[in-house]
Amino acid sequence: MTVNTQTDTGNAPAGSDFNGYYRLTRVLPVIAVMAAIYGIAALVDYHINAVLLTIVVMIALCLLRVPVPIALISAALLGALHAGMDTTTAIGALNDNLLVGAQVGMTYVMIGAFAVAIARSGILDLFAQKIAARVGSDAQSTSKGLKWFLFAIFIFCSLISQNLVPVHIAFIPVMIPPLLAVFNRLRIDRRAIACILACSISFSYLLLPTGFGAIYLNEILMANVNDVGAAYDLSMTADMAPKAMFLPVMGIVAGMLVAVFITYRKPRDYVTDPSAERHINPAKPVSINPLQLLATVAALAVALICQLQFDSLLVGAMIGFVILAAAGIFRWRAQDDVFTEGMRMMAQIAVIITIASGFAGVLDATGEIAPLVQASAELIGDNKAVGALIMLLVGLFITIGFGDSFASVPILAPIYIPLALALGFSPMATIALLGASAALGDAGSPASTITLGATSGLNADGQHDHVKDSVIPTFIHANFGMVVFAWIAAMIL
């Protein structure tokens, strides 16, 4: 897996002195402008909110193609120092919160190993071969029907990856790379696929109350609403969450349709790696033993059952992996190789998730999340329309920094619930505002597993930049529509 966060250098020769100069001419002016703004604020004795500063610096560094882990750590330390923390305390806050991210990262590593084991069954290769067989040797012989069929498959796989077969984004780096040559023949803009994956995954866990959706809607959103809302006579039942989130999620769907039919509709050309042509013209047809197919289906079913029974993706993926190994999907002595391949596939994502957890811990340690939200509340006054919009935008900004909507709910709930009720929003509107505000920015954050997963598959041949081709397109199309539809939901529910 390759998550490309490097800058483009136009026509500059690779490895030339011009490369470094080209980067500096883009980086230094941005740093100079940010330093000037900070200096002016200091001169007029204006305190910039540390959370605001940290997230702006992180986003700026990512846009300048600084590797995401470095951008997260650098921005976190700068924000902590600005908040008055010393270096030791800042590093301590970062380190103390790495454990939660490491636990999640370990789950993704195991899910990656399970996904590679599934791929060894030949199901995905067979699928790629069947699709490629419909692509003629001449690009002009392809049909638009195949393109839409692929898009439908990606939507379906994204939906079930959060619920029925909860492997989250692990299916992307396994399923997508064999199809890149097909995309090139069809001249598909990969940014459209990134938006399809991001929007469909978000749709699934924000609306469907099973798998990851059950965790977000019931165990996090409902639990926090009932915990904080108890003091305000606000209670939430499981059936209220999908109803409250329906309109905001429709905004994500609208964004995906805009990406597919308008923004990235035109053909885009990529260079096809000759080695990838084997999927279009394979030397040997792929075939699957019926017993192996049965074992693969059984492993998926048992993994789902174990995940639901033990409430652990880690345990479910591990047991599924063992079943595939015992069924002879791959040689028993090759287990280490399969596991290592899965670990390598998900390692960078796991590392970024871990660091993002520390980054969120530093934001919390600054103590300036509440002042940021309270300052927004002062701007609102008694205007419900303005209040809903500001709450959504603040949630968007905070979640971009966290890269995880699951972590944003507990932070926003104690402030958003009393604020929304004070403004006169109904219980359903309050739930919609909180659920949407925490989810905004998940798709589109440089540190989000969704955008990282999309890049891991689409950049397998080095032609899909993480920030330019995944982060920015998914941020625009997944979030803009959701802000509009969530605002409408808050006003009419």
Side-chain angles (χ1 to χ4, degrees), residues 54 72-82 85 87 90-91 94 359 362:
T54 302
L72 287 169
I73 295 173
S74 301
L77 294 179
L78 287 172
L81 294 175
H82 173 72
M85 302 167 63
T87 306
I91 295 176
L94 183 73
F359 179 87
V362 173

Side-chain angles (χ1 to χ4, degrees), residues 151-175:
F151 286 176
I153 289 293
F154 297 149
I155 292 173
F156 174 74
C157 291
S158 296
L159 293 178
I160 67 171
S161 71
Q162 308 304 300
N163 298 280
L164 185 60
V165 186
V167 295
H168 197 33
I169 52 88
F171 77 96
I172 299 174
V174 175
M175 180 180 188

Side-chain angles (χ1 to χ4, degrees), residues 131-443:
I131 293 298
R134 297 184 59 181
V135 180
S137 58
D138 186 341
Q140 294 182 349
S141 67
T142 61
S143 65
K144 290 185 178 180
L146 178 57
K147 171 183 173 181
W148 301 120
F149 174 73
L150 284 172
F151 286 176
I153 289 293
F154 297 149
I155 292 173
F156 174 74
C157 291
S158 296
L159 293 178
I160 67 171
S161 71
Q162 308 304 300
N163 298 280
L164 185 60
V165 186
V167 295
H168 197 33
I169 52 88
F171 77 96
I172 299 174
V174 175
M175 180 180 188
I176 297 296
L179 295 172
L180 290 181
V182 177
F183 300 162
N184 294 346
R185 289 283 186 91
L186 295 172
R187 303 179 68 199
I188 294 175
D189 192 328
R190 298 182 192 179
R191 292 173 295 181
I193 298 176
C195 290
I196 287 173
L197 295 171
C199 292
S200 298
I201 289 173
S202 299
F203 172 97
S204 186
Y205 84 83
L206 291 176
L207 190 62
L208 306 178
T210 56
F212 286 103
I215 296 173
Y216 183 77
L217 295 174
N218 299 333
E219 297 182 20
I220 296 180
L221 182 59
M222 185 172 69
N224 278 273
V225 168
N226 289 334
D227 183 40
V228 177
Y232 305 92
D233 296 325
L234 174 65
S235 62
M236 174 182 171
T237 56
D239 63 308
M240 295 172 68
K243 296 177 182 177
M245 292 300 295
F246 178 78
L247 269 179
V249 170
M250 289 304 102
I252 296 178
V253 175
M256 180 180 69
L257 295 177
V258 169
V260 172
F261 291 103
I262 300 176
T263 315
Y264 307 120
R265 175 180 57 85
K266 294 182 179 180
R268 191 180 188 190
D269 294 318
Y270 297 86
V271 178
T272 300
D273 183 353
S275 63
E277 288 292 326
R278 72 181 187 275
H279 292 288
I280 290 185
N281 299 300
K284 183 179 180 180
V286 178
S287 60
I288 299 180
N289 186 304
L291 292 178
Q292 289 186 331
L293 178 60
L294 181 63
T296 303
V297 173
L300 290 170
V302 172
L304 174 61
I305 293 171
C306 291
Q307 184 263 329
L308 296 174
Q309 179 68 30
F310 301 110
D311 192 24
S312 172
L313 283 172
L314 178 67
V315 172
M318 181 184 68
I319 294 176
F321 180 89
V322 171
I323 291 175
L324 291 174
I329 298 299
F330 49 88
R331 294 182 180 180
W332 186 263
R333 61 174 179 267
Q335 288 185 85
D336 285 343
D337 293 336
V338 174
F339 188 88
T340 301
E341 184 179 345
M343 181 173 63
R344 185 168 58 248
M345 181 180 71
M346 302 296 286
Q348 189 168 3
I349 293 177
V351 168
I352 293 176
I353 290 172
T354 301
I355 296 174
S357 180
F359 179 87
V362 173
L363 290 183
D364 191 37
T366 64
E368 297 199 18
I369 292 179
L372 175 63
V373 179
Q374 289 169 357
S376 303
E378 293 175 2
L379 293 174
I380 294 171
D382 296 325
N383 193 318
K384 289 178 64 175
V386 174
L389 180 60
I390 291 180
M391 291 169 72
L392 290 168
L393 294 179
V394 171
L396 167 64
F397 204 74
I398 290 175
T399 307
I400 287 175
F402 281 23
D404 182 9
S405 56
F406 289 62
S408 297
V409 173
I411 293 171
L412 297 177
I415 304 168
Y416 272 38
I417 289 177
L419 177 59
L421 294 176
L423 287 171
F425 286 107
S426 68
M428 288 290 286
T430 300
I431 295 168
L433 277 172
L434 176 60
S437 296
L440 281 164
D442 191 357

